[in-house]
């Protein structure tokens, strides 16, 4: 309403290096005080009285501001060991302070933890929450400080021991109204004993600790916007050892460490990072079948020959200009995405005989002749060439399909099934091509005959000697 004026107090809370702000009206203070007088027997006279006359005057506001600040400081001194829940919530401890954060999470899991585990759904945690858990475990103090069994840290540890699916989502910039930068907070994943799948996004590889403890259980690992190298995620111990080898490998060189492999990892998604090289860390993920390295900074494909079980590979939206002898690195894969690169030649794809689905969209392919390199692949069923320069060539679809000969009807081009009309046109193009080849062979044969019978007219041929028989 016009003329309505409300006084809001901004409270700045400091906990070590962390600071945050909370906004409250006087009525919020009053409600807090009512709870504390009932639950904690706080002196009713401690809260500054509510004024009616001149309540919005500058002098009154400033005086009340100082009185309320003293009120809060007195309460915190009165409860040095464990902040009462109403006061902790009032100051947003459950959002920014490690004790409040773990207490809130513990209470949530006390009520819903078993239900969440039975449902088998993905559970989300923030780096700040994981940091708080890690810090709490390092402190030599009881797992429950405020006397409320629902907030016991044990509820969290029991849940993390049995959780199967975890998602960790960080933030860029400060958290809420605080100065807390989540990307600078280290957290330990070793409290998770049964994880099958984990997704980490918007974190820093330097803050992730204990990931190697998941090597025996993890089946799916997804890391986004969090690393510049595969090594820092797959072999974090590499920084400690100059020479290392995966367990079970035969090496003629001396090594300083033998690193356990990821025993059950079949899916690795490290898309949307800043990875420029496929390094030797892939030696530890031999069972991986699905590999996604899209939206990175790769300019070459290396070391994938160590992944014998690869079936699906996504290298889209990198900086690949050429891919030579792909079969020596990609083996018997069925799905390959190379979309969004800078490829203008396909000579390296000629021997990917198991390939079923190939995405080459958004590249620099301009010559239809390049399609011959994949036209003889016996299993290819889906081909995407959209948004390449060759797409503007007249009758582009039929000319591409013609490169597959008798298999043209089996190929789905650019997401569109081949029509009967296109197949008829393909047959005409094939007939024309066959006639051209026959003509070229005949022309070539005539040239050979001419080259054999041709002689110099100025040279007299040798005389024919007649044989005379006398009877």
């Amino acid at each position: 309403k016009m003329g309505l004026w409300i006084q809001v107090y901004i409270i700045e809370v400091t906990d070590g290096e962390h600071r945050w702000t909370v906004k409250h009206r006087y009525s919020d203070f009053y409600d807090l005080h009512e709870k504390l007088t009932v639950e904690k027997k706080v002196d009713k006279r401690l809260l500054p009285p509510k004024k009616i006359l001149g309540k919005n005057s500058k002098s009154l506001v400033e005086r009340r501001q100082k009185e309320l600040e003293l009120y809060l400081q007195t309460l915190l001194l009165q409860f040095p060991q464990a902040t009462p829940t109403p006061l902790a919530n009032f100051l947003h401890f459950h959002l920014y302070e490690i004790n409040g954060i773990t207490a809130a999470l513990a209470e949530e899991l006390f009520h819903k933890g078993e239900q969440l585990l039975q449902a088998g759904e993905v559970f989300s945690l923030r780096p700040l929450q994981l940091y708080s858990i890690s810090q709490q475990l390092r402190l030599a103090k009881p797992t429950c400080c405020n006397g409320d069994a629902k907030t016991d840290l044990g509820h969290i540890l029991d849940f993390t021991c049995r959780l199967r699916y975890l998602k960790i989502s960080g933030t860029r910039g400060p958290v809420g109204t605080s100065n807390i930068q989540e990307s600078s907070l280290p957290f330990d994943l070793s409290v998770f004993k049964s994880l099958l799948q984990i997704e980490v996004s918007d974190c820093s590889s330097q803050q992730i600790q204990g990931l190697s403890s998941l090597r025996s259980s993890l089946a799916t690992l997804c890391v986004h916007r969090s690393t510049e190298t595969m090594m820092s995620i797959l072999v974090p111990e590499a920084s400690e050892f100059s020479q290392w080898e995966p367990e079970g490998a035969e090496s003629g060189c001396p090594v300083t460490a033998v690193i356990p492999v990821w025993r059950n990892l079949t899916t690795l998604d490290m898309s949307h990072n800043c990875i420029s090289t496929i390094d030797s860390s892939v030696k530890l993920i031999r069972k991986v079948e699905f590999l996604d390295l899209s939206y990175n900074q790769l300019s070459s494909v290396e070391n994938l020959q160590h992944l014998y079980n690869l079936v699906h590979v996504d290298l889209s939206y990198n900086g690949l200009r050429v891919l030579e002898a792909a079969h020596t690195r990609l083996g018997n894969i069925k799905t390959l995405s190379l979309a969004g690169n800078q490829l203008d030649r396909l000579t390296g794809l000629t021997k990917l005989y198991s390939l079923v689905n190939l995405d080459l969209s958004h590249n620099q392919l301009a010559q239809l002749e390049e399609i011959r390199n994949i036209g003889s692949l016996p299993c290819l069923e889906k081909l995407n060439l959209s948004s390449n320069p060759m797409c503007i060539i007249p009758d582009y679809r039929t000319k591409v399909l013609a490169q597959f000969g008798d298999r043209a009807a089996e190929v789905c081009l650019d997401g569109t099934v081949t029509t009967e009309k296109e197949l008829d046109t393909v047959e005409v193009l094939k007939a024309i091509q066959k006639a051209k080849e026959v003509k070229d062979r005949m022309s070539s044969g005539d040239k050979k005959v001419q080259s054999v019978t041709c002689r110099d007219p100025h040279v007299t041929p040798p005389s024919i000697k007649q044989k005379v028989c006398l009877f």
Side-chain angles (χ1 to χ4, degrees):
K1 294 180 181 180
M2 292 293 293
L4 183 62
W5 192 88
I6 299 174
Q7 178 64 44
V8 176
Y9 298 93
I10 300 176
I11 306 163
E12 183 175 282
V13 187
T14 302
D15 178 35
E17 296 180 351
H18 296 164
R19 299 188 309 277
W20 63 92
T21 58
V22 184
K23 294 181 179 180
H24 283 297
R25 297 172 58 186
Y26 178 83
S27 59
D28 298 327
F29 282 88
Y30 184 83
D31 293 339
L32 167 67
H33 191 61
E34 288 291 302
K35 293 178 182 177
L36 291 177
T37 55
V38 174
E39 297 179 16
K40 298 297 179 179
K41 308 304 180 185
V42 171
D43 188 350
K44 290 185 177 181
R45 297 168 297 177
L46 187 61
L47 181 69
K50 185 176 183 180
K51 307 287 186 185
I52 300 298
L53 297 176
K55 65 178 180 178
N56 293 330
S57 66
K58 183 178 180 181
S59 59
L60 177 61
V61 168
E62 291 177 351
R63 185 169 70 253
R64 178 174 284 179
Q65 177 181 333
K66 293 179 181 179
E67 292 173 345
L68 291 176
E69 182 176 332
L70 179 61
Y71 169 74
L72 291 175
Q73 291 175 346
T74 303
L75 288 177
L76 291 173
L77 290 173
Q78 189 171 339
F79 302 99
Q81 298 300 323
T83 306
T85 301
L87 178 57
N89 291 338
F90 183 86
L91 296 175
H92 289 185
F93 279 16
H94 61 292
L95 297 178
Y96 304 113
E97 191 264 339
I98 62 172
N99 294 292
I101 290 171
T102 52
L105 179 60
E107 185 168 358
E108 177 188 357
L109 296 177
F110 172 81
H111 292 292
K112 302 179 180 179
E114 199 63 38
Q115 179 183 348
L116 292 169
L117 290 171
Q118 291 179 0
E121 298 177 352
V122 177
F123 188 72
S124 296
L125 287 171
R126 302 188 67 85
L128 180 54
Q129 291 175 300
L130 291 166
Y131 167 77
S132 299
I133 296 171
S134 301
Q135 292 299 106
Q136 286 280 54
L137 291 174
R138 292 178 181 178
L139 300 175
K141 67 176 187 178
T143 56
C144 183
C145 298
N146 61 6
D148 187 352
K150 296 190 294 295
T151 63
D152 195 302
L153 190 63
H155 300 310
I156 298 177
L157 299 180
D158 176 67
F159 181 82
T160 57
C161 281
R162 296 190 288 155
L163 184 65
R164 293 186 179 184
Y165 309 101
L166 174 64
K167 182 177 181 179
I168 304 171
S169 300
T171 54
R172 299 297 182 187
V175 178
T177 63
S178 74
N179 67 337
I180 300 173
Q181 299 283 345
E182 282 193 307
S183 59
S184 66
L185 302 177
F187 55 84
D188 192 347
L189 297 177
S190 60
V191 295
F192 298 93
K193 309 297 184 183
S194 306
L195 281 185
L196 299 177
Q197 173 182 313
I198 185 172
E199 179 181 346
V200 181
S201 59
D202 296 302
C203 294
S204 167
S205 58
Q206 287 78 22
Q207 73 182 121
I208 306 172
Q209 301 174 0
L211 187 59
S212 57
S213 66
L214 306 178
R215 286 188 179 128
S216 61
S217 65
L218 213 59
T220 299
L221 172 60
C222 305
V223 180
H224 309 301
R225 297 178 296 279
S226 301
T227 186
E228 294 181 357
T229 68
M230 299 180 72
M231 187 77 70
S232 62
I233 298 297
L234 299 176
V235 197
E237 310 98 319
S239 59
E240 303 175 20
F241 305 105
S242 57
Q243 297 290 333
W244 62 270
E245 284 291 340
E247 63 175 333
E250 297 181 3
S251 175
C253 303
V255 297
T256 55
V258 176
I259 308 295
V261 299
W262 295 79
R263 297 188 181 279
N264 297 300
L265 193 67
T266 56
T267 298
L268 177 62
D269 182 353
M270 297 187 73
S271 59
H272 296 274
N273 284 291
C274 297
I275 298 170
S276 59
T277 305
I278 303 175
D279 55 45
S280 59
S281 63
V282 296
K283 294 179 181 179
L284 296 184
I285 54 170
R286 297 169 186 163
K287 291 188 177 181
V288 164
E289 299 175 6
F290 179 96
L291 177 63
D292 189 347
L293 292 173
S294 60
Y295 292 92
N296 276 288
Q297 299 172 8
L298 298 174
S299 58
S300 62
V301 178
E302 302 167 344
N303 288 310
L304 292 187
Q305 67 272 17
H306 299 292
L307 307 184
Y308 313 115
N309 297 298
L310 274 182
V311 178
H312 307 281
V313 178
D314 192 341
L315 300 173
S316 59
Y317 296 93
N318 278 279
L320 300 174
R321 294 180 177 273
V322 64
L323 194 61
E324 296 294 351
H327 64 285
T328 62
R329 301 175 180 85
L330 300 176
N332 298 320
I333 62 169
K334 294 183 178 180
T335 300
L336 175 61
S337 179
L338 295 169
N341 283 283
Q342 302 173 41
L343 299 172
D344 59 6
R345 291 182 291 126
L346 302 178
T347 51
L349 308 181
T350 55
K351 296 183 180 180
L352 293 176
Y353 298 126
S354 299
L355 199 59
V356 176
N357 190 339
L358 177 60
D359 188 352
L360 293 166
S361 60
H362 297 275
N363 274 283
Q364 301 299 319
L365 297 168
Q367 304 299 321
L368 285 169
E369 290 74 14
E370 290 299 321
I371 306 302
R372 294 178 183 175
N373 293 300
I374 57 176
S376 59
L377 296 180
C379 300
L380 191 62
E381 296 177 358
K382 295 182 180 180
L383 174 63
N384 191 348
L385 293 170
S386 60
S387 300
N388 275 284
M390 68 168 59
C391 295
I392 64 174
I393 296 175
D395 300 321
Y396 143 80
R397 282 184 57 85
T398 52
K399 288 178 181 178
V400 168
L401 292 168
Q403 305 291 332
F404 291 89
D406 296 334
R407 293 194 62 249
E410 303 173 20
V411 177
C412 176
L413 178 60
D414 299 342
T416 303
V417 178
T418 306
T419 65
E420 289 296 328
K421 183 177 180 180
E422 288 176 329
L423 290 176
D424 291 340
T425 305
V426 168
E427 289 300 321
V428 173
L429 292 176
K430 285 164 58 180
I432 294 173
Q433 181 64 27
K434 188 173 183 180
K436 183 174 181 294
E437 291 173 355
V438 171
K439 182 178 179 181
D440 290 343
R441 285 199 299 269
M442 291 179 62
S443 175
S444 177
D446 291 342
K447 290 180 180 178
K448 288 183 179 179
V449 171
Q450 290 176 8
S451 65
V452 170
T453 58
C454 180
R455 63 181 177 83
D456 191 336
H458 300 290
V459 178
T460 304
S463 58
I464 300 175
K465 296 182 179 179
Q466 295 182 350
K467 184 176 181 181
V468 179
C469 298
L470 296 176
F471 297 95

